[in-house]
Amino acid sequence: MKVHEYQAKNFLKKYGITVPNGIVTDDISKVKEIAEQLGGKVVVKAQVLAGGRGKAGGVKLAKTAEEAEQVAKTILGAKLHTHQTGPEGVLVKKILIEEAANIEKEFYVGIVLDRAAEKYIFMVSPFGGMEIEEVAKEHPDALFKVFIDYLELFPFQARQLAFNLGLSGDAFKQAVKLFLKLFKLHIELDASLTEINPLILTKEGNIVALDAKMNFDDNALYRHKDIAEIKDDSEDDKLEVEAKKYDLNYVKLDGEVGCMVNGAGLAMATMDIIKYYGSMPANFLDVGGGASVETVRNAFKILLEDKSVKVVLINIFGGIVRCDRIANGVIQAAKEIGVDRPMVIRLVGTNQEEGREILKNAPFSFYTFDTMSEAAKKAVELTKGGN
Amino acid sequence: MSILLHKNTRVVVQGFTGKEGSFHAEQMIEYGTNVVAGVTPGKGGQTHLGKPVYNTVHEAVEKEGADASIIFVPAPFAADAVIEAADAGAKLIVCITEGIPTDDMIKAKRFVVSRGATMIGPNCPGIISPGKAKMGIMPARIFREGSIGVISRSGTLTYEAVNQVTELGMGQSTAVGIGGDPIIGSTFVDILKLFNEDDETEAVIMIGEIGGTAEETAAEYIKEYFKKPVVSFIAGRTAPPGKRMGHAGAIIMGGKGTAEGKIKALEKAGVKVAESPALIGETLKEVIKK
């Protein structure tokens, strides 16, 4: 789960990490007053979850409160197009107004999971402000990493990090403290990614988190109700949001074959086989290893709500889940929602004969097959107007 | 020989009296698995499915000689269950539970490794040595005793592949679902090493998917050390970057973990990668013929 910059900064503040003074607002008429309160010279920052907002013009400096208002008008309520939002862009509903800092030096600071090492890594680089992938590519030697073995950053490691940024004196001490607090925060809140880019040394000699990005482990949200509560899903696809309400794993894609599959691996494989036969999947949809009548019905609803779906392909390998139940779920859903597009069903596993019999006697015409390839071939053929 | 799980493996079921635990334990017993006990804290002293129930895994190990544990405990308590099993001396720990926080697994894995135990999962279908024993939730009837080793990050895609293999008249030595999470007990390489030393296993099917670099690491191992033919399928050629595809670990990030990259690495290591998920069995048949 992602959170906005201002939300991440609130967590940082709670852990005693210095961030610029700032106020978040969704009201353009308050901008001037806020800017005055912050000393006039401010930065106006679009609060969107999509990355790449700086390059897309979502972060702007204003020298006076009047200018801040002018700048805010171009950002707040407008659509921002970054490399992550696609051509539709994302509507900016909130802006963060912060006092402008006097930057002496900029650094990159990040905590990520290294899956191969099965540990978190704490990374720093003197190339602040650049995207980390770019730094890794262009200045790999300038990326310093420490591996965290026990979900705890040790003080000597924090010192290593600060020395590698070339810090000394009071700034060094501030950075060491910040790194220790930041890692504690990362673990205590079950973050999956914590990034400060840039962390700055100000001309006044202070270490300040100028930006903040945090992602949280979805599996751990049950023990962080306060974080789960601030989730903003307004930038997500509408059908994806709806699917989540039903506990369905759904991802919207660009193709025309709507898929309903049990199990994530088989769901991906089903998408792949649709491409293999010459079409593209309209979605990823995993109804879970133990799909019930209820989940099948909900999944069906989501699939048909997507108007780009021309054909529905249901691929169920019933292990423990019984095929007769799935067949009943499909028919029940079809009756409730109505079927206006061709349906191809591949149903194998426990009670598959009963399942097929139920589908055969249904008042709808389904195309039923025994194998995944036959079913996928048929579905692709149907997108091209065959029958 | 099969790997990890054998006819004589003495299995304890954690979360034994719960709905999931009961259902699958019954099927495991029916299959012939040597289930010796169950554990549900607070229900010690009862009998369930004809087996004794204990409060702790330590008691089950002490009194019934259990040496393996399968876990059907809800996600918030699952990592603790894994650590308990390892502390009690279980040598094989299979964790079926989905949705365990990453940090919990980092801790649990370190503990399991420190005790010299082997963990399979979490978020997996388990392990089966056909004709011998099953610790998992897979449908037993699609499996057949034989000489093909199977390793997979996915549940139902494993069933799909196994079904193809069985229908072509071949069987499996052991099939291991290693799980779809970012942090898992045993990786492809861990299991490949066991298949490499297993006389009964003639060839291996390895089913991977997008996310992480476990397939690339496996490819390096295969190239250097693996003595038997390997056939693979990688799911997610059509998956977009930055989106989690069902499994917590199935996500392409920063250009890493793509299906293309994995397929390339495997092919370079001499692995035959099936073009379509429907061709896994056929591809295997071709490779074995040679």
Side-chain angles (χ1 to χ4, degrees):
Chain A
M1 176 193 148
K2 292 178 178 174
V3 296
H4 290 291
E5 176 197 2
Y6 76 93
Q7 295 168 326
K9 281 182 170 164
N10 284 340
F11 291 122
L12 260 53
K13 272 193 272 185
K14 259 188 212 164
Y15 276 76
I17 292 169
T18 309
V19 302
N21 285 324
I23 292 167
V24 69
T25 184
D26 56 4
D27 186 350
I28 194 75
S29 70
K30 297 216 172 104
V31 172
K32 205 173 147 194
E33 190 192 324
I34 292 171
E36 270 163 8
Q37 203 182 317
L38 293 169
K41 192 179 172 191
V42 294
V43 180
V44 177
K45 305 172 94 176
Q47 297 299 291
V48 293
L49 296 172
R53 78 185 164 166
K55 276 182 195 154
V59 179
K60 280 181 183 149
L61 180 73
K63 290 191 191 75
T64 64
E66 288 74 25
E67 198 185 330
E69 192 177 28
Q70 290 309 312
V71 164
K73 273 182 187 161
T74 66
I75 298 177
L76 188 63
K79 287 226 171 163
L80 198 64
H81 300 83
T82 83
H83 67 276
Q84 280 186 10
T85 62
E88 304 103 78
V90 54
L91 183 69
V92 180
K93 287 184 292 192
K94 278 185 180 147
I95 49 173
L96 174 63
I97 304 164
E98 280 184 343
E99 64 180 1
N102 296 314
I103 302 172
E104 175 72 30
K105 272 184 188 156
E106 292 183 89
F107 311 105
Y108 169 88
V109 174
I111 305 165
V112 294
L113 180 69
D114 183 323
R115 286 169 61 166
E118 298 173 338
K119 290 166 189 173
Y120 283 109
I121 42 178
F122 201 130
M123 299 184 287
V124 295
S125 147
F127 290 89
M130 266 172 89
E131 286 200 29
I132 189 60
E133 286 86 2
E134 256 172 81
V135 175
K137 213 194 287 173
E138 284 167 35
H139 311 280
D141 297 339
L143 196 60
F144 182 76
K145 300 175 184 178
V146 295
F147 286 84
I148 314 289
D149 279 21
Y150 294 97
L151 299 182
E152 184 187 343
L153 179 75
F154 296 119
F156 82 89
Q157 292 177 309
R159 291 196 298 272
Q160 280 181 321
L161 291 166
F163 278 129
N164 268 278
L165 290 179
L167 292 167
S168 60
D170 186 54
F172 170 84
K173 280 184 199 157
Q174 287 183 51
V176 168
K177 271 189 197 154
L178 181 140
F179 295 152
L180 290 168
K181 285 173 185 165
L182 193 68
F183 196 77
K184 189 164 180 264
L185 152 96
H186 180 88
I187 295 301
E188 287 184 354
L189 298 188
D190 279 292
S192 53
L193 170 90
T194 301
E195 218 175 46
I196 300 178
N197 190 19
L199 176 78
I200 59 161
L201 171 65
T202 64
K203 290 206 188 322
E204 298 81 18
N206 296 319
I207 295 284
V208 178
L210 204 59
D211 195 2
K213 183 175 171 185
M214 290 188 83
N215 293 353
F216 295 93
D217 180 357
D218 291 322
N219 286 348
L221 286 179
Y222 73 87
R223 57 189 176 205
H224 301 286
K225 297 275 186 291
D226 53 331
I227 298 171
E229 261 171 26
I230 60 169
K231 184 176 172 63
D232 174 7
D233 54 19
S234 64
E235 287 177 41
D236 297 343
D237 181 88
K238 275 198 196 87
L239 286 175
E240 287 181 15
V241 174
E242 200 184 329
K244 216 161 253 163
K245 280 187 211 148
Y246 300 130
D247 268 330
L248 293 168
N249 275 312
Y250 173 90
V251 177
K252 176 84 187 85
L253 302 169
D254 297 331
E256 47 195 17
V257 180
C259 318
M260 185 197 301
V261 188
N262 66 328
L266 191 61
M268 269 188 274
T270 304
M271 288 161 40
D272 295 345
I273 201 171
I274 289 167
K275 187 186 178 195
Y276 180 73
Y277 285 118
S279 184
M280 282 303 267
N283 63 279
F284 166 94
L285 174 55
D286 169 17
V287 292
S292 68
V293 173
E294 185 70 18
T295 46
V296 169
R297 195 177 51 215
N298 293 332
F300 204 87
K301 224 178 100 193
I302 303 265
L303 275 189
L304 292 180
E305 258 175 59
D306 179 0
K307 294 304 163 206
S308 58
V309 168
K310 282 193 189 164
V311 179
V312 173
L313 171 61
I314 300 178
N315 183 15
I316 304 286
F317 200 110
I320 299 308
V321 52
R322 283 166 35 198
C323 292
D324 50 332
R325 274 206 214 158
I326 297 281
N328 278 325
V330 169
I331 288 171
Q332 207 179 315
K335 276 183 187 158
E336 275 176 38
I337 301 154
V339 184
D340 52 359
R341 278 156 276 184
M343 307 246 311
V344 182
I345 304 178
R346 185 264 187 145
L347 197 54
V348 290
T350 314
N351 294 356
Q352 65 184 36
E353 305 307 329
E354 289 91 327
R356 283 192 206 136
E357 202 57 30
I358 291 167
L359 291 176
K360 213 185 278 172
N361 296 327
F364 307 96
S365 67
F366 301 119
Y367 300 91
T368 56
F369 295 95
D370 292 353
T371 69
M372 185 166 173
S373 50
E374 287 171 295
K377 245 188 245 175
K378 185 73 195 177
V380 170
E381 194 186 303
L382 287 165
T383 61
K384 305 201 160 116
N387 58 50
Chain B
M1 276 285 280
S2 39
I3 62 162
L4 293 167
L5 176 61
H6 312 288
K7 187 94 204 159
N8 53 2
T9 302
R10 297 177 71 83
V11 178
V12 57
V13 180
Q14 287 175 261
F16 189 42
T17 56
K19 194 177 148 220
E20 292 279 303
S22 293
F23 179 79
H24 293 293
E26 197 170 5
Q27 304 231 337
M28 282 163 48
I29 293 165
E30 204 176 287
Y31 193 68
T33 312
N34 189 15
V35 174
V36 295
V39 167
T40 300
K43 295 203 171 168
Q46 297 181 5
T47 301
H48 183 62
L49 305 177
K51 310 288 175 188
V53 182
Y54 293 98
N55 284 323
T56 67
V57 183
H58 292 78
E59 283 174 276
V61 169
E62 210 172 281
K63 299 201 172 114
E64 307 296 336
D67 55 10
S69 177
I70 180 163
I71 294 166
F72 293 101
V73 170
F77 319 106
D80 183 55
V82 168
I83 293 170
E84 181 184 353
D87 190 59
K91 288 292 150 216
L92 174 64
I93 301 162
V94 178
C95 186
I96 303 298
T97 311
E98 181 180 354
I100 303 174
T102 300
D103 290 5
D104 291 11
M105 277 324 297
I106 291 176
K107 245 187 275 179
K109 171 113 193 226
R110 287 199 75 84
F111 192 89
V112 167
V113 169
S114 78
R115 294 301 162 105
T118 297
M119 171 171 51
I120 304 293
N123 191 11
C124 79
I127 169 171
I128 183 169
S129 296
K132 300 186 179 89
K134 154 177 143 161
M135 283 174 82
I137 59 173
M138 57 288 271
R141 67 191 148 66
I142 61 168
F143 292 85
R144 194 174 115 166
E145 214 171 334
S147 61
I148 307 302
V150 181
I151 321 172
S152 171
R153 277 168 73 184
S154 138
T156 46
L157 189 52
T158 311
Y159 311 160
E160 178 69 47
V162 164
N163 198 42
Q164 288 174 26
V165 170
T166 301
E167 287 196 341
L168 287 169
M170 297 175 280
Q172 306 83 36
S173 52
T174 300
V176 187
I178 57 173
D181 277 1
I183 305 285
I184 50 175
S186 298
T187 62
F188 283 122
V189 172
D190 295 328
I191 306 300
L192 281 169
K193 281 181 184 165
L194 300 174
F195 278 134
N196 211 18
E197 301 308 320
D198 177 39
D199 295 338
E200 205 186 292
T201 303
E202 280 172 30
V204 168
I205 294 180
M206 184 182 132
I207 299 171
E209 62 190 31
I210 55 158
T213 52
E215 289 82 358
E216 286 86 338
T217 309
E220 278 168 38
Y221 170 78
I222 290 167
K223 201 172 168 192
E224 286 290 314
Y225 306 105
F226 206 65
K227 299 176 284 201
K228 305 168 187 188
V230 181
V231 166
S232 180
F233 176 74
I234 303 296
R237 287 180 208 235
T238 43
K243 289 273 190 178
R244 217 168 278 284
M245 308 303 279
H247 285 153
I251 181 165
I252 300 168
M253 280 172 90
K256 280 206 178 132
T258 63
E260 287 71 26
K262 290 170 190 297
I263 292 166
K264 223 189 207 170
L266 287 164
E267 284 178 341
K268 241 173 128 184
V271 174
K272 184 88 182 144
V273 182
E275 285 257 348
S276 143
L279 295 175
I280 300 169
E282 292 287 348
T283 308
L284 175 72
K285 209 175 164 185
E286 267 171 45
V287 166
I288 287 183
K289 250 195 246 159
K290 288 178 192 162

